[in-house]
Each structure stands twice: as C-alpha cells, then as structure tokens.
Amino acid sequence: MKIILHYILLSCLALSQGEWISVSGKIVSSEDGNPIIGATVLVQYSTIGTSSDNDGTFFLKHIPASRKTLSISAVGFKTVTVTLTNEEKQEQTIQLTPSPVQTQDVVVTASKRAQSLEEVPVSMSIVDAKSFSDRNIVSVDDALRYVPGVNFQQTQINIRASSGYSRGAGSRVSLLIDGMPLLAGDTGEITFESIPVFQIERVEVVKGAGSTLYGSGALGGVVNVLTKDIPEHPLVWWRLYGGFYSPPVFDEWKWSDKTRFTNGQYAGFTERFGRLGIAFSLHRVSDDGYRDNDWLRRYSGYVKMKYDFSPYQSVTVSTNIFQQYRGDFLWWKDVKNALHPAEGQQNATVTSLRANSSILYKHFVSEDFYFDIKAIHFRSNWYRDSLSTKRLDESISDAIVLDVQGVATVNQDNTLTAGLVWNGERIRSNIFGGHDGQGGAIYAQDEHKFSTDLSIVGGVRYDVQRVIGLQTNQQVNPKLGIRYHVAEGIALRSSLGRGFRSPSVSEYYTSTANTGSAAIVVSNTTLKPEHSWTYEIGMVQNYSGHMTLDMALYQSDFSDLIDASVGLDSSISKSAAVIQFKNITQARIQGFEMSCAANFLDQAVQWNVNYNYNWAVDRDTKTFLRFRPRHSASTNISYKYDLMTVGADFRYSSRIEQIDDKLVQLAPIMNGDERVPVYLLDVRINTHMLDLGLPMTLGFTINNLLGYNYVELIGNMAPPRSFVLSVEGML
Amino acid sequence: MKFHIPIFLITMLVNAGCNEGLQPISLEETGFGGTISFVSKLPPPDSLFDFRIVAVPYYPIDTTFTQILIKILNDSIAYSPSTIQTLDSGSIVRYKMLVKPKIYRYVACVQQYGPDSFKQWKVVGIYGFTTVNSAPSSVVVKDGIFTNSIDMVVDFYHLPPQPFKTP
C-alpha cells in the first residue's frame, strides 16, 4: 500500500512540476553546415522526443524546466547533449560532428534499455530507415541480408549459423517489434512480411544467445524492429514504386509470354492533437511473381497513437493488420523447369491474416527510475487451398505477452534492469490440433561501471514454459559481459550467455499426411527444449573518425537441437516414410566476423565491407550442419554527387555444404541438390529533389544486375534481374 | 567525360559476369525412379548376394528364369545396376532406372539369395503390390520423360507371389 501511495505521490509531483519550455531549432553537420534529416532529439529522463524534418528543423514543447537536457543523435554523427536555458521559448542550432561508425548510436535491445552502442558488450548491427527507402526494400528480411553474420534460407533467418532450415516450424531467432515478441503462436516462426516497413525507425540485431533478457527463442540472436516516434509537426508521406522482372535468359525456363510486374503503394500521415499523437498508414503490394504460381497481393494498415499524460508518462497503442494472398510455390518441378512448381502444387494458394496490437505505458518516476508495462496480442490465421481441396491446412493462433520492467540507476556506477513476463498461446488447427500454452519469466540485470573505461554486465533469467497437457520446461539463463576501452578509439568486449528454446506447438503436434509426398508427419510430445552456450570476444577500433573496424571471434555449443527425423516405422505406416521432430543434434559453431565502415571525400563516399566465417559441425556425426554457408561476405558503396546518390551492394555466400538429402529424396525435389555459391549485385540511383524545392526523392534500382541464377532454399530459384522505379515524398 | 572510361569498364565487367550460376541442365533422361523402403531386417550376408530392380513389359508368370535371362540379354527387360552396397535395414533408398520408352507392366525388386547368379533369385518387392492390391501396377515410360514416385516396399520375410516357373 505504501508503494502505491508513494507512486501516486510521485506521479502528482511529476504532473505538477513547474514551468514549461519549448524549443525549436535546426540540426546541421559541423563539417559543411548541411541540415541533418531524421536526427533524433530526446529530452533526457522523459517520454518527450522528436526527429528533425527534411530541412533539419525540429520543434519540441512541454519540456519541464526541471529536465532541460536534450540528447541529439543521428546515424553517422556523434551524439551530443545540450542543456537548455530557462527561457520559455528558445531556438537552438545544434551541430553534430560526423562519425563514420555507429558506435555513438543509441540502442535499446542489448540491455532492454536505451544505451550507447559503445557500452554494449555483445555484437550488434543496426539497419536504419534510410536503407529501406534507398534500396526500395519492401520486407524486413531483404534489409537484414546485408547484416554481417546474417543469412537466409528464403525467409528463414539464420544468425551466425544458429539455424538451418526448419520447414517453417520454430525459429532460433527472436523477432521483436518495439521490444515485444512477434512470433506466431502455432509455429513459432517469424513472418517478416507482415511488418510495416515504412514505419521502421531502425532494426537492431543482437548476435548470440539472448535468452537472459528475451527468453525462449532467442537462442541464436534477437531482431528488434523499432517503429518511428510521432513528430511534433504534421507530416504526410507517400511512396510509389513499380518495376518488372527480366524474362528468363534460358528458353527452357520461359513459362509466360507476359512481362511480370511488381508494384507497391504506401501512404500515411502523422499529427499531434495536443497531447495525443497519431500515426496512420496504408500499404499495398502486388507482385506477379517471376515463377509460375508465385504471385502475391498484400494489404496492410497500421495505426499508432501516443498520449502524453505528462512529460514523464505516456501510453502508446498500436495496431497492425496484414492480409496476404499468394500462390503456394513450394519447390520447382526440376531444374529444367525451375520456374514451374512441382506436380500437385499448381494453383495452390495460401491466405493469411496477421494482426498485432500492443500497448506500452512508460513512466519516468524520477531521474533515477522508470518503468514500463507492455502487452502485445498477435493473431495469426492462415489456410492453404489446393486446386481440389479447400482449406487443406488451416491454423488460427493467438499469442499474448505481458511484460513489466523497471530500470533504476542505483548509483553513478550501477544500472539495474529487472522485469516480469507472462505469455499465453491458444492454437486451433487441423494439423497442429487444439492446444493452449503459457509461461512466465523473471529477470534481472546489473550494469556496473568500474571506471570510465571498464564496465561489466551480469544478468539472469528464469523461464517456465508449458503446453497444457505436456511436461513443464524450466530454464535458468545467466549471462556475463565485459566492455573495456583499451585506448582512445579502441574497445574490447567479451560475453558469455545461455540460450534456450522451448519447442513450438507445431514441433510437438504437427500431424499430417498432406505433405504431397510419400511421407507422413507424426507428433512427438516428448520433445525437450534446445539449449546453447555462446562465448564471444570482440574488438572495435575507430581510425581518426573516418574508418571503423569491428572484429569478433565466437563459439556456440548447442544441445538437444530439434530437427526433423526421417525414417520408417511399420507401426505407423507400412509404406510411407515417417517424419517426426526429435532432439537429435549436438552442435558446435565456431566463427569469425569482421566488418569495416569508412568514408572518404568529406563523407561523399560511404563504404563498408563485411565477412563472416562459420565452422558449424554436428558433434555426433562430425558432419557440417545442414543449410549453412561456410563463408559469407558483403560490401556496399555509395557516392553522393550533387543531387544524386549512386550506390551498389554486393553479396556473396559460399555454396551450402550440406542439405537434407532425405527431404530431397522423399519430397521428392527433383534436382534438389542443384545449388551454387551466391554472387548478387544490386545497384541504385537516388535523386533528391529537395534542393529544387520539391520534397521528393526519385529512385531507380536494378536488383541482381548480373542476372545470376541461384537458390537460397533447395528447389527454389531466387529472383532474376529486376528493374524498379520509385518515388517518395513528404509534405 | 571523366566518367566514360569507368562506366565502360563496369559495363564490360557486368556483361562478362551475366547469367552465370545455375543452368537448365539437360534432363532428356527417359525412365523412372522412386524409393525403396525396407521394412524388415536385411537377410544375413550368406543369403543376400545381390539386389536389383527389374522392369518387365509383361507379367512374367509361368516364365522360367532362364527365359528371363535370355530376354535380359536381348535387351527387352531392363534391370538396374547392383544396389546391394546401399542397402540398410530400416532405411529408404532412392533408385533411378533409365529405360526405353514403353509400358512396363511388372516392376520389381529382386534378391539374389545364393551364389548362383543365373538361378538363385527371388522377387522381394513389386511396384503397386500392397496388402490391399495384390496386382502389380504398370509404369508408362515416355520418350524424354522421367517419371518419379515409383516407390516400392521390401519385406525380405514376407514375400509377394513369385512369378517364376520352376524350370
């Protein structure tokens, strides 16, 4: 009771705290005085913030006189803090000093709180909003393909070789949206396409086990998608794009006389009405597909509302509804007919409706303590129709997560983060059955600064997960991390952490004969959780503000990895192979990762290069793990010349060494073992019309310029060369 | 003007590297393939000398094995290479038969159970033969087409009807 009274008293005090300040201004580069677009301006220890407009200007009001320190950050610039005067209305011109690296960026995923990337003891990468529009990226997974240590089996993410290809059942990477998990309740898989890309502020990728803060699923890493805050000024934005795929270069692959088009339209607005801020957007994508029966239509709507009770308290409610209709191209007929689906897949379709709603209440009780209460509901409803059978497979799942977290600055040297989590799932499906599950967790983490150069992070989380009717899975996940600034511009980091993943309902209960093959899938309710230990040592070095080198060595030991076991069981079927998920793999992954970012010619040229090596071995069979490349590398370069920016992205990954031969044989996927290394080159030109008085950007992108033919997933030819023209603007 | 040479070089480089990667390799194979599922333990080595798949255009009832051998030599019956090295109890083996285009009314797995490779053979699995359907199924092979999913089940200890007439 005393705590509640204390809380109410503090809230009243917060609401009644004195005078307000408003500030307007402009954020410019200290080198050339050019305005910086999209810089983040935050009032420290409050919920107030905005970002700079197209001309670098910003406006903030209702800043309490007691908290007049602004923190200004932008990608490519060093973060600065500015203390305002007591004047009621004031103007500021804020200069930011260029920095080619992201070491000054503020991130929120590594420790579940805002902190400088410099302080983080684990490997992290950031993809900013500009990358999405510059490259005309329409799905989050396309942006993540350029992150060092990340690669994909079609839409299934793999961070540092932690995942192979799980046939859509379970993910060893946890996906969050604004810090809240967004994994389907039935399959536990990630559906990147349902995330509204135009609302993305940035994407943070934490590599290595993250279960100490994020629980089950964060075995190989965490991807946190952070949406844009609502600015003070009204804003209307739109984007149109259209393009087409090159026809197949080989006559054998030609399957349609028509040009295959792709196009999309996005539009939205944000506005503040007093204390209420609203963001709303609509989105439509249509793609004819470069393969037979590989078309799609997507529609989505997004609403975000933020209400500031005071400068210290806010509540944010958001809803995203996504609907997709698409052809169901599972694998090719054969490599000679690589753009035709296999027999039985013609005219099959998948319809999915995914909706997530969340609420976030945040309260800065004092400069030393704040807490937030978050809840998210994610409904995933999909069904598959074949030509002859409607709703051949169908599933409806609901997942709810409630997270209460507090962050306290105990003293100058200690920051304590602690929280409680509850989650529940409800699944109704003709292939998974009807099942309910729930779980909970408690976690705490302390970050201790021994000096300005040395900090240590220690934490632990206890998780309980249970599908009703099955055994309860419990797990304690500790972690330890150290960050040490050896000298000016050089920092060392080291961490170890434990990860775990409770089996998804689909892994426990999938039971179907509709695999289109001589195989049936049977349930296995005796599955145990997967576990991992990850160790890492890394270094980041900044060379005179123009180049940064980041390197990491790591090792992950996985136990009880769940994989599909294919075999015969005459008690189940006399003639068909039996597929069942089992704990069958003990694995060790050792790797090296390097990334280098640099700029030249007064930042006109931006360049980075990344390389990742993985030695991923099954410790029982001594063979390389399936569906993982050993080498992957990428580089991109951009050059800004007058109004124009030209850029190129190149990506390489070595030939996948091991695939699932039994999947190839039993499906059967004809020529399923046909695969090659990946060499992918994308180029782009963007023309910024702002200097001509038009708040628009024109873009032209050629994806897969080399027309290189490759597969990311067996039996699935990747997109050929495509040409896309885009135009976007803001008012 | 100063950009012409780099643009020319890049264009040449891109052009030289175009359309590489996977190719639509020729699949003008004629035949069929599928899986063989072994649902029983393998026989002991002294009664498993060879294992093959045969495709016969007719149902070989009342045919002596010597007559079959003559037809094999005349190339009117197709048979696979020896697959004994790939056998494993409780596993599934994929096989592939490249044969002439025609209708094969009898496709079977045969086991050589003794050292006499001319006489000591028996049928251990037939395509289309199940506990419900006791008649073999035909496989139609067309020119330039490879047919999949011609799957068979082998149980060395519960044999299907043997077609051979004792000589």
Side-chain angles (χ1 to χ4, degrees):
Chain A
M1 192 63 189
K2 276 184 178 177
I3 294 171
I4 296 169
L5 286 172
H6 180 70
Y7 170 71
I8 293 170
L9 184 62
L10 280 171
S11 300
C12 294
L13 281 172
L15 285 166
S16 62
Q17 275 176 7
E19 298 166 3
W20 307 114
I21 295 170
S22 64
V23 58
S24 59
K26 190 169 186 175
I27 302 168
V28 297
S29 168
S30 64
E31 278 202 352
D32 51 19
N34 284 336
I36 298 170
I37 304 165
T40 303
V41 185
L42 292 173
V43 179
Q44 288 193 341
Y45 312 114
S46 82
T47 61
I48 304 168
T50 189
S51 54
S52 58
D53 292 340
N54 280 334
D55 55 358
T57 58
F58 70 95
F59 175 62
L60 280 172
K61 56 186 177 181
H62 299 311
I63 302 170
S66 60
R67 294 182 190 178
K68 55 193 178 188
T69 304
L70 303 183
S71 170
I72 301 101
S73 61
V75 173
F77 294 87
K78 289 184 178 175
T79 302
V80 299
T81 54
V82 173
T83 304
L84 303 174
T85 63
N86 287 326
E87 204 177 333
E88 194 176 335
K89 288 183 180 177
Q90 49 192 290
E91 280 196 18
Q92 293 274 345
T93 299
I94 298 163
Q95 293 189 334
L96 298 187
T97 306
S99 168
V101 284
Q102 297 170 333
T103 52
Q104 301 293 327
D105 286 347
V106 173
V107 295
V108 297
T109 313
S111 295
K112 269 195 158 185
R113 70 175 185 88
Q115 63 182 150
S116 165
L117 187 54
E118 267 195 335
E119 300 170 15
V120 173
V122 294
S123 289
M124 276 194 75
S125 293
I126 298 171
V127 183
D128 59 27
K130 195 168 175 293
S131 299
F132 284 83
S133 56
D134 282 355
R135 293 173 171 145
N136 192 48
I137 283 169
V138 297
S139 184
V140 173
D141 49 316
D142 289 335
L144 294 173
R145 281 173 162 80
Y146 291 96
V147 172
V150 174
N151 57 57
F152 279 80
Q153 291 288 315
Q154 212 162 35
T155 56
Q156 187 169 315
I157 189 170
N158 177 10
I159 295 180
R160 287 181 173 174
S162 59
S163 309
Y165 173 58
S166 68
R167 303 172 184 82
S171 170
R172 296 192 184 114
V173 173
S174 190
L175 175 71
L176 315 171
I177 186 158
D178 290 324
M180 290 173 271
L182 197 68
L183 297 175
D186 48 4
T187 58
E189 65 179 326
I190 293 174
T191 53
F192 285 109
E193 71 273 13
S194 65
I195 299 169
V197 291
F198 224 110
Q199 293 292 346
I200 294 173
E201 175 71 32
R202 67 182 186 280
V203 180
E204 298 181 1
V205 181
V206 177
K207 301 160 194 175
S211 295
T212 305
L213 289 176
Y214 295 103
S216 176
L219 200 71
V222 178
V223 175
N224 191 6
V225 178
L226 297 151
T227 60
K228 290 175 179 169
D229 206 352
I230 299 168
E232 290 289 336
H233 293 298
L235 192 65
V236 176
W237 50 260
W238 50 273
R239 178 180 176 82
L240 308 171
Y241 75 85
F244 62 92
Y245 296 101
S246 283
V249 67
F250 299 108
D251 288 340
E252 292 92 331
W253 286 348
K254 286 180 180 163
W255 63 277
S256 172
D257 296 331
K258 295 178 181 171
T259 303
R260 313 303 295 177
F261 290 103
T262 179
N263 66 80
Q265 302 84 36
Y266 303 72
F269 75 90
T270 62
E271 187 155 6
R272 279 193 171 271
F273 305 94
R275 291 179 173 183
L276 177 68
I278 296 178
F280 173 75
S281 66
L282 292 170
H283 163 200
R284 175 189 173 275
V285 168
S286 172
D287 193 318
D288 293 342
Y290 58 95
R291 304 183 293 185
D292 188 8
N293 199 39
D294 195 27
W295 54 271
L296 67 83
R297 308 281 180 268
R298 287 177 186 158
Y299 309 89
S300 73
Y302 175 84
V303 181
K304 180 176 184 177
M305 289 186 286
K306 184 181 179 191
Y307 186 80
D308 295 310
F309 296 107
S310 75
Y312 319 104
Q313 295 179 73
S314 68
V315 64
T316 306
V317 179
S318 61
T319 296
N320 182 49
I321 297 173
F322 168 88
Q323 182 145 31
Q324 177 173 268
Y325 310 95
R326 64 172 174 85
D328 192 23
F329 191 112
L330 289 174
W331 57 77
W332 63 33
K333 190 174 180 183
D334 55 46
V335 73
K336 191 179 176 185
N337 299 280
L339 304 181
H340 281 288
E343 297 292 335
Q345 294 174 24
Q346 294 93 339
N347 300 311
T349 60
V350 176
T351 304
S352 48
L353 174 67
R354 303 185 199 277
N356 61 278
S357 300
S358 63
I359 183 166
L360 163 65
Y361 172 73
K362 193 162 197 164
H363 188 175
F364 284 85
V365 178
S366 70
E367 292 194 2
D368 298 327
F369 177 68
Y370 75 86
F371 70 89
D372 53 46
I373 302 170
K374 293 179 277 198
I376 187 167
H377 169 239
F378 181 31
R379 165 162 279 211
S380 173
N381 177 9
W382 60 268
Y383 57 86
R384 178 180 288 119
D385 292 336
S386 72
L387 187 60
S388 56
T389 312
K390 292 286 178 194
R391 308 224 170 189
L392 188 66
D393 300 326
E394 183 176 15
S395 182
I396 301 172
S397 67
D398 294 283
I400 298 173
V401 179
L402 177 65
D403 187 336
V404 180
Q405 176 186 295
V407 177
T409 307
V410 181
N411 54 44
Q412 202 171 357
D413 300 325
N414 283 284
T415 304
L416 182 67
T417 306
L420 288 165
V421 182
W422 175 86
N423 64 280
E425 294 87 29
R426 184 173 191 268
I427 296 101
R428 297 293 179 263
S429 166
N430 67 349
I431 55 172
F432 310 132
H435 303 284
D436 298 335
Q438 61 177 315
I442 181 168
Y443 60 90
Q445 172 178 285
D446 185 46
E447 299 162 72
H448 184 82
K449 284 186 180 173
F450 287 91
S451 67
T452 52
D453 295 326
L454 176 66
S455 60
I456 292 183
V457 179
V460 66
R461 172 167 167 146
Y462 171 68
D463 268 273
V464 182
Q465 293 293 330
R466 181 168 177 250
V467 174
I468 305 302
L470 301 182
Q471 64 183 16
T472 301
N473 298 318
Q474 301 179 60
Q475 180 72 38
V476 176
N477 296 305
K479 84 164 187 181
L480 187 65
I482 301 171
R483 184 91 181 188
Y484 180 52
H485 288 264
V486 182
E488 180 66 30
I490 303 176
L492 299 176
R493 64 177 185 272
S494 182
S495 65
L496 70 88
R498 193 170 195 205
F500 104 109
R501 185 176 75 88
S502 200
S504 65
V505 165
S506 62
E507 287 165 311
Y508 278 128
Y509 284 110
T510 300
S511 178
T512 177
N514 295 327
T515 55
S517 67
I520 59 169
V521 185
V522 295
S523 62
N524 181 3
T525 54
T526 62
L527 282 175
K528 295 179 290 185
E530 300 178 328
H531 301 98
S532 73
W533 277 103
T534 299
Y535 323 90
E536 178 188 336
I537 182 163
M539 185 198 82
V540 60
Q541 184 164 9
N542 190 349
Y543 298 93
S544 67
H546 291 284
M547 189 167 91
T548 295
L549 180 67
D550 190 303
M551 292 186 289
L553 282 167
Y554 54 87
Q555 175 174 310
S556 294
D557 287 316
F558 295 91
S559 56
D560 295 322
L561 283 187
I562 296 169
D563 207 347
S565 161
V566 185
L568 290 170
D569 187 338
S570 57
S571 65
I572 298 171
S573 172
K574 296 284 184 195
S575 59
V578 174
I579 298 174
Q580 191 174 41
F581 287 98
K582 291 182 178 174
N583 297 98
I584 52 175
T585 311
Q586 317 296 317
R588 170 165 288 173
I589 297 167
Q590 295 168 315
F592 168 72
E593 192 176 293
M594 185 277 293
S595 63
C596 180
N599 69 64
F600 313 99
L601 304 175
D602 290 335
Q603 297 210 61
V605 176
Q606 304 275 345
W607 172 72
N608 71 56
V609 60
N610 310 302
Y611 170 73
N612 179 225
Y613 172 83
N614 283 303
W615 177 251
V617 179
D618 185 319
R619 298 180 76 177
D620 297 328
T621 62
K622 311 296 181 196
T623 55
F624 207 81
L625 293 178
R626 295 181 299 199
F627 298 110
R628 283 132 167 121
R630 189 175 298 201
H631 305 272
S632 55
S634 67
T635 183
N636 61 66
I637 189 164
S638 68
Y639 174 52
K640 189 172 187 310
Y641 181 76
D642 203 9
L643 298 177
M644 215 164 14
T645 303
V646 295
D649 302 298
F650 178 76
R651 185 157 56 86
Y652 161 81
S653 63
S654 59
R655 184 176 183 269
I656 300 288
E657 299 197 17
Q658 297 285 334
I659 59 170
D660 189 342
D661 291 327
K662 287 189 173 170
L663 181 66
V664 171
Q665 289 176 358
L666 294 171
I669 304 174
M670 288 297 293
N671 307 116
D673 55 354
E674 288 289 333
R675 59 195 192 278
V676 290
V678 174
Y679 301 94
L680 195 66
L681 177 64
D682 301 334
V683 295
R684 61 185 186 275
I685 299 174
N686 291 296
T687 305
H688 311 286
M689 315 291 280
L690 189 63
D691 289 355
L692 301 176
L694 291 170
M696 286 169 49
T697 300
L698 296 175
F700 179 61
T701 307
I702 306 177
N703 296 313
N704 193 2
L705 176 68
L706 300 176
Y708 189 76
N709 305 309
Y710 66 101
V711 294
E712 269 189 345
L713 177 63
I714 53 174
N716 277 271
M717 187 70 80
R721 184 186 297 121
S722 64
F723 304 86
V724 178
L725 193 62
S726 64
V727 54
E728 68 174 89
M730 283 188 187
L731 296 172
Chain B
M1 187 65 190
K2 62 183 177 180
F3 294 118
H4 287 184
I5 291 174
I7 289 172
F8 175 75
L9 288 174
I10 290 169
T11 307
M12 293 299 290
L13 190 70
V14 165
N15 194 45
C18 274
N19 304 320
E20 296 294 320
L22 286 178
Q23 308 275 328
I25 57 171
S26 175
L27 286 176
E28 293 169 358
E29 293 176 341
T30 301
F32 63 88
T35 58
I36 302 170
S37 305
F38 295 92
V39 295
S40 68
K41 287 182 181 175
L42 292 183
D46 62 359
S47 62
L48 183 57
F49 289 79
D50 203 349
F51 186 92
R52 294 178 188 241
I53 298 107
V54 296
V56 187
Y58 53 89
Y59 189 70
I61 196 163
D62 292 337
T63 307
T64 64
F65 200 82
T66 309
Q67 288 172 311
I68 288 179
L69 273 179
I70 291 168
K71 292 186 182 298
I72 287 174
L73 292 173
N74 288 340
D75 209 18
S76 61
I77 289 180
Y79 66 100
S80 72
S82 174
T83 54
I84 193 165
Q85 299 298 327
T86 62
L87 300 189
D88 183 13
S89 61
S91 74
I92 296 171
V93 171
R94 186 153 189 87
Y95 77 94
K96 178 176 167 182
M97 292 275 284
L98 300 180
V99 295
K100 290 182 178 176
K102 62 174 73 172
I103 298 173
Y104 292 91
R105 302 190 190 285
Y106 188 83
V107 176
C109 299
V110 293
Q111 171 201 353
Q112 184 188 338
Y113 56 88
D116 188 345
S117 59
F118 290 98
K119 292 180 179 173
Q120 293 180 301
W121 291 86
K122 59 184 175 184
V123 176
V124 291
I126 301 170
Y127 172 60
F129 186 88
T130 64
T131 50
V132 180
N133 177 25
S134 59
S137 297
S138 296
V139 177
V140 179
V141 177
K142 294 180 179 174
D143 193 19
I145 292 177
F146 190 90
T147 307
N148 262 296
S149 303
I150 308 302
D151 302 331
M152 289 181 276
V153 177
V154 169
D155 184 343
F156 289 102
Y157 300 98
H158 297 90
L159 299 180
Q162 300 298 302
F164 313 125
K165 191 171 75 175
T166 307

